[in-house]
Amino acid sequence: MREFTLAEFIELLETHAGEPDEGRLDDSVVDVLFEQLGYDSVALLEVLSQIRHQYGIDLAEEILADMKTPRQALHTINELINA
């Protein structure tokens, strides 16, 4: 089983949604709300699109509402990868 990592998620966020105003992201943001990090739903949709393209998993836009933090996003993404 493959696991999508926080480092991969952070790289996609910074590459496709931009770096937050506070500077580069690290492991300490795992439970911080995307809203507090400065990422809106449009930015997250771009990241989900990249994950869909790179990993071949179907990430419906509806799951975006359930992904409020990077930890929640990783959990959802890894469930789909390993399904």
Side-chain angles (χ1 to χ4, degrees), residues 1-81:
M1 290 185 172
R2 182 184 182 317
E3 184 165 322
F4 186 72
T5 67
L6 181 60
E8 290 172 294
F9 190 70
I10 287 172
E11 181 179 338
L12 286 173
L13 272 174
E14 292 179 340
T15 302
H16 298 284
E19 287 186 22
D21 294 336
E22 298 80 33
R24 294 193 53 96
L25 301 174
D26 60 26
D27 293 351
S28 68
V29 301
V30 73
D31 290 313
V32 178
L33 295 172
F34 287 119
E35 179 179 287
Q36 291 176 325
L37 294 172
Y39 294 111
D40 62 12
S41 60
V42 174
L44 294 175
L45 283 172
E46 177 58 32
V47 172
L48 290 180
S49 174
Q50 291 301 315
I51 293 169
R52 191 179 298 126
H53 175 73
Q54 291 180 20
Y55 297 93
I57 58 175
D58 185 25
L59 291 169
E61 291 178 14
E62 296 80 41
I63 68 169
L64 189 60
D66 296 331
M67 298 184 343
K68 306 245 184 264
T69 67
R71 183 184 306 275
Q72 290 172 334
L74 288 173
H75 176 76
T76 301
I77 293 164
N78 281 316
E79 279 186 341
L80 291 169
I81 288 174

